[in-house]
């Protein structure tokens, strides 16, 4: 069995979806499970409706909802699906639900993580319905599955953790395994449900992760992620147009790249595939005939690679009373960061304090600061970019903050430095 994943960019308009149809047209060699994201920037648009609802701006809710309806209606029409009554009714129901959720946020004056998950999930649900209808129209035998019935998570609605045992149990004998090579199963990435069946999300950009979890638990032969780039490259081609394709990587190299900011693959997806040794192809949906990158167990060539992580924050902590930053203090600080869901991408011990590179919302960072400020002197520097060179001997560029942090972050063949964005 093969698992394919198509992201928002690969589904942003009718011609992209038609291209998807062509990609899978000749794929009747083995059972195929397709995981899709919301179309284009729909997740952002839905979240924006939630935020506007929180401000109580009814007019803006309606304007944004109409905009989203028009975007999807155009895709439906351009795909020749305007007369599909079942699809039209389904789409209308989803938009009505978006209005109801937004109305609830408005009335309560609260945009809770639970409401967020219910609202943004509509993007994937709608996208998968439109794609299923289109693929059926062009002659495929399609089974549409609501993935929330199978992927079980904890109730951390914005970035839920998958409950693997429960999910694995539900997946046995599920309709997710296509019954024969001519049937294609379509489902959604990014969403799941808690034990009480409330919708949850696996965190932004989580569709890759869904595809990898399904590949793992259903023991797929291979996963293919279709992207708007030729494959995994030795730099983000959005920032460095001269970037080159890396034809093959091992799992560790790929995981290293995602740690340092290669957002082309969700970092947890690699872990899920590596643990079952399932090869992952990252391929271009614009040039589907090209092989892209394969990530699998292999030696792996060490290509010099440049990586960039935006929106980084540099934290500095020291005791107000000039006590050393001992292991007890570090344990406490890192525990506090973990409790506020703040990651650590770099750590450097200074004379009396500690520097930590992290990223997070202002609310998380402010909550951390208020918790610590009685005992610790805290400084925060926002708007930084973390640059990394992998497999290189070169020194980092002039670091703006703090100079010594470079030394700590430098490993044998990796150089990282922070600079203003
Ligand atoms: P999806 O459509 O599946 O959501 P993403 O937008 O999350 O895909 O990932 C694709 C994007 O990742 C590309 O448009 C590219 O700008 C970015 N990217 C970052 N680093 C790299 C890299 N090293 N190689 C290729 N693409 C990269
Ligand atoms: N649609 C979700 C997002 O934009 C999940 C994904 O695309 O991977 O974050
Ligand atoms: Mg994405």
């Amino acid at each position: 069995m093969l698992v394919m994943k198509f992201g928002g960019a690969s589904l942003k308009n009718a011609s992209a979806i038609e291209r998807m149809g062509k990609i899978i047209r000749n794929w009747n060699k083995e059972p195929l499970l397709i995981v899709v994201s919301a179309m284009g920037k729909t997740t952002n648009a839905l979240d924006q409706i939630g935020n506007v609802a929180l401000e109580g701006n009814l007019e803006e809710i309606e304007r944004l909802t109409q905009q989203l309806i028009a975007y999807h209606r155009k895709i439906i029409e351009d795909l020749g699906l305007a007369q599909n009554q079942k699809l039209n009714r389904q789409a209308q129901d989803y938009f009505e639900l978006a209005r109801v959720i937004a109305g609830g946020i408005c009335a309560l004056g609260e945009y809770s993580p639970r409401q967020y998950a219910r609202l943004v999930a509509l993007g994937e649900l709608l996208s998968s319905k439109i794609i299923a209808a289109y693929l059926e129209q062009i002659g495929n035998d399609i089974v549409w599955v609501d993935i929330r019935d199978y992927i079980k998570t904890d109730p951390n609605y914005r970035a839920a953790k998958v409950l693997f045992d429960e999910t694995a149990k539900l997946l046995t004998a599920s309709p997710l395994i296509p019954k024969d090579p001519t049937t294609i199963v379509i489902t959604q990435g990014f969403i799941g449900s808690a034990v009480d069946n409330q919708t949850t999300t696996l965190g932004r950009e989580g569709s890759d992760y869904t595809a990898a979890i399904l590949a793992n638990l259903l023991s797929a032969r291979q996963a293919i992620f279709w992207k708007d780039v030729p494959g995994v490259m030795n730099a983000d081609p959005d920032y460095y147009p001269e970037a080159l394709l890396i034809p093959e990587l091992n799992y560790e190299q790929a995981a290293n790249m995602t740690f340092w900011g290669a957002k082309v693959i969700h970092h947890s997806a690699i872990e899920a595939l590596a643990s079952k040794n399932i090869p992952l192809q990252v391929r271009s949906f614009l040039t589907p005939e090209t092989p892209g990158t394969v990530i699998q167990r292999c030696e792996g060539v060490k290509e010099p690679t440049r990586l960039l992580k935006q929106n980084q924050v540099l934290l500095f902590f020291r005791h107000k009373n000039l006590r050393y930053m001992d292991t007890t203090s570090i344990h406490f600080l890192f525990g506090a960061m973990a409790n506020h869901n703040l990651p650590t991408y770099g750590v450097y011990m200074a004379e009396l304090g500690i520097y930590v590179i992290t990223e997070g919302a202002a609310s998380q960072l402010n909550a951390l600061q208020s918790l610590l400020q009685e005992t610790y002197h805290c400084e925060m520097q926002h708007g930084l970019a973390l640059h990394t060179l992998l497999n290189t001997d070169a020194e980092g560029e002039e670091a703006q903050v703090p100079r010594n942090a470079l030394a700590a972050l430098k490993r044998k063949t990796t150089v990282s430095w922070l600079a203003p964005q």
Side-chain angles (χ1 to χ4, degrees):
M1 186 189 123
L2 189 66
V3 177
M4 281 191 186
K5 182 255 168 173
F6 290 83
S10 323
L11 304 168
K12 66 176 180 203
N13 53 33
S15 57
I17 297 165
E18 283 161 358
R19 192 174 296 122
M20 171 197 197
K22 288 194 187 111
I23 289 174
I24 61 159
R25 188 190 291 156
N26 299 317
W27 221 283
N28 51 7
K29 302 167 218 126
E30 64 183 315
L32 178 60
L33 166 61
I34 297 182
V35 175
V36 298
S37 298
M39 294 173 169
K41 304 272 178 228
T42 299
T43 310
N44 288 352
L46 285 162
D47 190 27
Q48 198 187 352
I49 291 176
N51 286 315
V52 163
L54 183 61
E55 290 163 11
N57 191 339
L58 293 173
E59 247 173 59
E60 192 60 4
I61 295 177
E62 196 45 37
R63 193 186 68 79
L64 293 172
T65 309
Q66 288 299 343
Q67 208 170 297
L68 210 53
I69 293 175
Y71 170 64
H72 285 89
R73 284 241 176 282
K74 174 148 176 41
I75 293 180
I76 291 175
E77 277 166 26
D78 291 351
L79 289 172
L81 294 167
Q83 304 309 320
N84 186 325
Q85 295 311 328
K86 200 170 144 213
L87 176 65
N88 284 332
R89 262 197 313 277
Q90 188 68 70
Q92 211 169 326
D93 287 351
Y94 287 145
F95 289 124
E96 214 31 64
L97 187 53
R99 284 196 179 97
V100 169
I101 300 168
I105 296 168
C106 240
L108 289 171
E110 189 199 355
Y111 183 24
S112 68
R114 196 161 118 168
Q115 285 158 317
Y116 161 86
R118 281 182 76 205
L119 187 57
V120 297
L122 296 173
E124 267 68 13
L125 290 166
L126 183 55
S127 155
S128 62
K129 284 283 185 192
I130 297 174
I131 288 157
Y134 172 69
L135 294 179
E136 210 157 46
Q137 177 175 262
I138 60 168
N140 296 289
D141 179 11
I142 299 293
V143 174
W144 179 91
V145 176
D146 187 335
I147 200 64
R148 294 174 299 176
D149 294 338
Y150 301 96
I151 293 195
K152 285 289 161 190
T153 72
D154 70 10
N156 184 9
Y157 299 93
R158 276 182 177 268
K161 286 211 166 50
V162 174
L163 307 174
F164 279 91
D165 291 346
E166 282 82 342
T167 302
K169 251 182 246 155
L170 289 169
L171 285 176
T172 355
S174 76
L176 278 152
I177 302 174
K179 59 181 186 319
D180 59 60
T182 56
T183 309
I184 297 173
V185 177
I186 307 273
T187 197
Q188 312 78 38
F190 178 54
I191 58 176
S193 69
V195 276
D196 60 0
N197 292 332
Q198 289 290 332
T199 302
T200 56
T201 67
L202 308 186
R204 289 304 306 268
E205 302 297 330
S207 295
D208 285 358
Y209 186 37
T210 304
I213 292 166
L214 293 175
N216 176 314
L217 296 178
L218 299 171
S219 297
R221 180 183 66 81
Q222 189 177 51
I224 304 180
F225 294 176
W226 296 95
K227 301 271 173 178
D228 61 348
V229 283
V232 180
M233 318 203 51
N234 69 350
D236 184 343
D238 258 9
Y239 292 90
Y240 305 99
E242 68 282 14
L244 298 171
L245 178 75
I246 307 176
E248 188 183 51
L249 287 163
N250 61 37
Y251 295 112
E252 193 187 333
Q253 289 174 317
N256 255 338
M257 285 183 67
T258 59
F259 177 81
W260 293 115
K263 73 173 185 89
V264 62
I265 313 168
H266 190 283
H267 61 97
S268 306
I270 297 168
E271 194 184 313
L273 294 168
S275 69
K276 274 240 179 129
N277 202 14
I278 299 169
L280 167 65
Q281 286 183 4
V282 180
R283 290 175 61 173
S284 163
F285 80 97
L286 291 168
T287 54
E289 64 288 355
T290 56
T293 300
V294 60
I295 298 163
Q296 59 190 353
R297 192 181 283 170
C298 65
E299 191 61 38
V301 178
K302 292 194 164 178
E303 290 288 344
T305 302
R306 179 166 191 146
L307 298 157
L308 179 64
K309 220 172 169 121
Q310 300 276 19
N311 301 318
Q312 301 298 287
V313 180
L314 183 69
L315 306 175
F316 175 70
F317 305 107
R318 70 169 166 74
H319 279 286
K320 283 191 167 160
N321 62 8
L322 302 186
R323 186 186 305 157
Y324 285 160
M325 195 53 75
D326 56 14
T327 46
T328 311
S329 322
I330 293 170
H331 182 254
F332 174 73
L333 284 172
F334 278 34
M337 286 187 68
N339 289 338
H340 290 80
N341 287 321
L342 290 164
T344 50
Y345 293 131
V347 177
Y348 170 67
M349 295 294 298
E351 286 78 11
L352 286 176
I354 184 167
Y355 290 94
V356 184
I357 301 170
T358 189
E359 67 185 7
S363 55
Q364 288 165 281
L365 291 159
N366 292 340
L368 177 76
Q369 193 161 22
S370 345
L371 174 80
L372 300 174
Q373 67 192 5
E374 205 170 300
T375 322
Y376 292 90
H377 166 77
C378 308
E379 283 171 28
M380 278 187 206
Q381 195 167 337
H382 294 264
L384 299 171
L386 180 62
H387 296 258
T388 300
L389 300 175
L390 290 181
N391 306 323
T392 179
D393 295 328
E395 290 293 324
E397 284 173 12
E398 178 78 354
Q400 306 282 326
V401 276
R403 220 148 198 279
N404 285 343
L406 287 178
L409 290 172
K410 185 171 173 185
R411 282 191 276 138
K412 205 171 164 202
T413 55
T414 303
V415 185
S416 281
W417 69 98
L418 282 168
Q421 286 192 155

